[in-house]
Amino acid sequence: MKETILQTRTIKMSLLEAGHGPLVVLCHGFPETKRAWRHQIAALAQAGYRAVAPDLRGYGQSEAPEGAEHYSVIHAVGDLVALLDALGEQQAVIVGHDWGATIAWQAALMRPDRFRAVVALSVPMMGQPPVPPSRIFPQNENALFYTLYFQNPEGAEAEFGRDPRQTLRKLIFAASGEAGPRLPGDATPNPFGMVSRSSGLLATLPDPARLPDWLPGAEFDALAQAFEASGFTGGLNYYRNLDRNWELQQAYAGATVTPPALFLIGTRDSGLAMPGMDQIIAAMPALVPDLRGSHLVEGAGHWLQQERPAEVSALILDFLRQLPDR
């Protein structure tokens, strides 16, 4: 497994890669880096695939253009097309988690000629809402939904940047399977829900004495060092394009994701607890007609590919083996 820097025609990208064979591109979410895929990169390479995980724009050692307007999903998909070109590859299977899943779905929707199959973790393919998302997310005089809280740099960046290591400890633990069963009313902490206007997002989250066993100290140190260097602005800028993405994606209204697809989510994922998420997942075949599986991974939280690496890698490889030769 090697780490490289590659200049594409859109941005400079930091990559973690291994193996030779059909290309699989793996896209991380927030707040993560390319190392979130370390287990899958090794498993894919051993199975005869070329696995490449980039730091997305604004993350890690990849380029971070100034201005939130440069972080739309169109920009993100453009980076991936440019990445394939720079790698000398015509096609890839795209795998994504969290924001990376959203980007992966859109890449398969917009460019099925380049992305021949898609695997999404934690975030299902969703239809376009009738109005911009910011008009749907809940808020009241005391609290607002986390995606709305992320819009204000004086709130989110200021809070997260005060102590990046504590921020990451709290976010990672609270969204993990170790935080609790995440049943209605059981008080399992949730970093991706309503946020107090007065105290912010982190105040109510526990600061664990130790991180889960699936995140070794050296890996947490690497993650923390990446965010200490880059800050959180790049990652938060993706959230600041939710309404703009809605506007841009009107060009694809009514389109479906035609490549073969696979969806995975942990039973303790905070996203699964959102009202209506089970109906969204159940409705996916109308938007993804070649959906070949929708798997619940028992006991896993939001960081699925790190919490259950062997199971996730096995499901991805089984899916890849079903695909026709290029």
Side-chain angles (χ1 to χ4, degrees), residues 72-74 106 109-110 125-136 241-256:
S72 75
V73 72
I74 303 294
Q106 293 303 315
L109 177 73
M110 298 175 193
M125 180 64 184
M126 305 182 198
Q128 285 277 50
V131 296
S134 66
R135 292 167 56 184
I136 299 173
N241 279 274
L242 289 170
D243 282 358
R244 186 162 179 243
N245 289 340
W246 181 85
E247 294 175 0
L248 295 170
Q249 289 168 323
Q250 296 306 313
Y252 298 93
T256 59

Side-chain angles (χ1 to χ4, degrees), residues 86-164:
L87 293 171
E89 298 275 4
Q90 181 58 33
Q91 287 191 320
V93 174
I94 187 164
V95 181
H97 168 249
D98 185 79
W99 259 106
T102 296
I103 293 164
W105 286 124
Q106 293 303 315
L109 177 73
M110 298 175 193
R111 295 302 304 269
D113 59 319
R114 305 303 301 272
F115 301 101
R116 64 190 184 99
V118 55
V119 180
L121 280 61
S122 297
V123 177
M125 180 64 184
M126 305 182 198
Q128 285 277 50
V131 296
S134 66
R135 292 167 56 184
I136 299 173
F137 298 137
Q139 60 178 311
N140 55 49
E141 61 180 13
N142 298 316
L144 69 172
F145 197 55
Y146 79 100
T147 52
L148 296 175
Y149 176 69
F150 284 177
Q151 303 303 309
N152 180 8
E154 295 181 2
E157 269 105 318
E159 182 182 17
F160 290 177
R162 278 194 287 270
D163 186 343

Side-chain angles (χ1 to χ4, degrees), residues 18-221:
H20 303 276
L23 178 63
V24 181
V25 174
L26 304 112
C27 301
H28 65 81
F30 176 85
E32 296 176 298
T33 68
K34 58 186 180 293
R35 292 201 60 83
W37 295 108
R38 61 195 179 277
H39 302 292
Q40 287 70 41
I41 292 170
L44 288 163
Q46 186 174 10
Y49 294 91
R50 182 185 187 185
V52 176
D55 282 334
L56 299 179
R57 64 167 54 203
Y59 286 92
Q61 298 179 64
S62 287
E63 198 169 336
E66 290 189 16
E69 69 272 14
H70 297 294
Y71 291 81
S72 75
V73 72
I74 303 294
H75 288 90
V77 173
D79 288 344
L80 297 177
V81 173
L83 174 61
L84 263 60
D85 291 343
L87 293 171
E89 298 275 4
Q90 181 58 33
Q91 287 191 320
V93 174
I94 187 164
V95 181
H97 168 249
D98 185 79
W99 259 106
T102 296
I103 293 164
W105 286 124
Q106 293 303 315
L109 177 73
M110 298 175 193
R111 295 302 304 269
D113 59 319
R114 305 303 301 272
F115 301 101
R116 64 190 184 99
V118 55
V119 180
L121 280 61
S122 297
V123 177
M125 180 64 184
M126 305 182 198
Q128 285 277 50
V131 296
S134 66
R135 292 167 56 184
I136 299 173
F137 298 137
Q139 60 178 311
N140 55 49
E141 61 180 13
N142 298 316
L144 69 172
F145 197 55
Y146 79 100
T147 52
L148 296 175
Y149 176 69
F150 284 177
Q151 303 303 309
N152 180 8
E154 295 181 2
E157 269 105 318
E159 182 182 17
F160 290 177
R162 278 194 287 270
D163 186 343
R165 286 177 176 262
Q166 183 189 69
T167 296
L168 291 166
R169 281 197 309 270
K170 287 191 168 193
L171 291 177
I172 289 167
F173 177 77
S176 73
E178 284 79 4
R182 219 171 290 281
L183 299 173
D186 73 353
T188 301
N190 180 11
F192 306 126
M194 297 296 285
V195 177
S196 167
R197 293 184 185 272
S198 59
S199 60
L201 187 148
L202 300 175
T204 60
L205 301 181
D207 191 352
R210 62 187 297 270
L211 288 165
D213 291 340
W214 51 262
L215 187 60
E219 286 296 334
F220 178 76
D221 286 342

